[in-house]
Amino acid sequence: MSLSFARWRLYLDLIRWDRPAGWLLLLWPTLSALWLAADGFPGWHLLFVFIGGTILMRSAGCCINDVADREFDRHVARTAKRPVTTGAIPVKEALQLGALLAVLAFLLVLSTNPPTIWLSLPALAVALLYPYAKRVLAMPQAVLGVAFSFGIPMAFSAVLGADDWRLQAIPDAIPLAAWGLMAANLFWVLAYDTEYAMVDREDDLKIGIKTSAITLGAWDVRGIALFYLVFLGGWAGLALSFFGMGWGFVAGWGLALAQVLWHLRLIAPRERAGCFQAFRLNHWVGAALFAGTALDLML
């Protein structure tokens, strides 16, 4: 039976199709890792796999997140009208859509190599766990940081991995510096998702959700500044010392830094509009780093 246009609109709303910032935040560090691993353009096949997989997995994550948070979301003004929360899309239907999207992403991964396929399993597990982390962890954004940074080691393994199904082949495919990039990227996720959590802090306090914005309290802005510092410092140190980046990367890094300083000014008053704007535009920080990386490898 064909789906009506209105039904398709609900599905697109569920996966946040009109809000690409979510998958762009995941995509840019993954593409930077791909270019670093390949020492330049990684080829159309891997580019298609990682762009497609990023969009599909972020969309699947939205389905899982909305099902897990449906009781909380109805008490938050920004999320109260989400299709699962209102009942416009039943829970079972949302889970089926999420599963279908995850399977499609896995089919893309199957076209890579064994180390990357193995890595996709813990990546999926972390993505499934994140929506429930806010019930028990003081800073659940750290779990999101792992989920949103897993594309980095997967990118390296896709480029450098061999056709070897042994688990011992995974460390051989991923240099230590790639794990360092993943760790540094986690702090970027902590920064922008804390900005996002500042938007809903009052609602989250009422319903009992744990977030980094609540945990940091009056130290929220300073905490975010520290997260950004670790992120930018980590990427710069590894890119310059291990990967041999030069002035092209430094130019992109400088543009990313300028944006970060602007975002800190936006969130300083702790007003919802400024915090949401900083979060919504954060993907341009990642875009600047990728542009610098790609440019440098072309020079």
Side-chain angles (χ1 to χ4, degrees):
M1 183 175 63
S2 62
L3 295 172
S4 67
F5 177 73
R7 202 67 184 167
W8 278 112
R9 288 291 300 272
L10 284 173
Y11 289 149
L12 291 175
D13 189 31
L14 173 62
I15 65 173
R16 323 276 202 274
W17 184 255
D18 59 337
R19 283 157 282 179
W23 59 262
L24 287 171
L25 289 167
L26 178 57
L27 180 65
W28 292 126
T30 303
L31 291 185
S32 294
L34 265 180
W35 256 253
L36 288 170
D39 198 27
F41 181 62
W44 291 109
H45 168 241
L46 288 182
L47 188 61
F48 174 76
V49 166
F50 279 90
I51 292 177
T54 294
I55 296 173
L56 287 168
M57 280 308 299
R58 187 262 182 166
S59 301
C62 290
C63 298
I64 298 165
N65 184 79
D66 285 9
V67 169
D69 286 353
R70 62 190 185 280
E71 297 300 329
F72 293 125
D73 284 348
R74 67 186 59 190
H75 301 289
V76 180
R78 185 180 53 81
T79 60
K81 293 184 179 180
R82 286 178 174 173
V84 175
T85 304
T86 62
I89 295 180
V91 169
K92 182 179 179 180
E93 200 171 311
L95 291 175
Q96 289 172 336
L97 177 60
L100 173 62
L101 295 170
V103 167
L104 291 175
F106 185 64
L107 290 176
L108 289 177
V109 175
L110 287 177
S111 70
T112 57
N113 56 35
T116 310
I117 295 170
W118 280 122
L119 283 173
S120 70
L121 301 180
L124 175 62
V126 175
L128 291 173
L129 287 174
Y130 166 67
Y132 301 97
K134 64 190 72 174
R135 292 157 171 78
V136 294
L137 298 180
M139 297 187 71
Q141 280 72 18
V143 180
L144 183 69
V146 175
F148 266 47
S149 303
F150 232 105
I152 294 172
M154 289 181 68
F156 274 88
S157 68
V159 173
L160 304 175
D163 189 17
D164 187 344
W165 283 100
R166 295 178 304 155
L167 291 176
Q168 297 93 318
I170 296 176
D172 295 335
I174 307 171
L176 187 60
W179 294 111
L181 290 175
M182 178 182 178
N185 197 75
L186 186 153
F187 284 90
W188 182 36
V189 182
L190 279 171
Y192 65 66
D193 210 56
T194 301
E195 293 171 346
Y196 195 41
M198 289 171 71
V199 178
D200 297 331
R201 178 157 43 194
E202 293 180 9
D203 294 323
D204 290 340
L205 282 168
K206 292 176 183 176
I207 59 182
I209 285 181
K210 301 176 186 294
T211 71
S212 54
I214 292 173
T215 300
L216 290 170
W219 290 81
D220 50 3
V221 176
R222 281 168 285 190
I224 290 170
L226 179 61
F227 296 152
Y228 276 130
L229 177 63
V230 174
F231 160 62
L232 288 174
W235 272 74
L238 289 166
L240 296 174
S241 62
F242 187 88
F243 295 104
M245 294 287 99
W247 287 108
F249 174 84
V250 172
W253 186 90
L255 184 57
L257 174 62
Q259 293 179 73
V260 163
L261 295 175
W262 174 47
H263 291 173
L264 290 174
R265 290 189 62 184
L266 286 174
I267 67 173
R270 297 182 174 86
E271 297 175 354
R272 290 192 177 197
C275 293
F276 187 68
Q277 183 181 13
F279 164 77
R280 186 173 56 83
L281 297 177
N282 231 283
H283 66 91
W284 290 107
V285 175
L289 279 180
F290 168 68
T293 301
L295 175 64
D296 199 90
L297 290 169
M298 290 173 57
L299 297 177

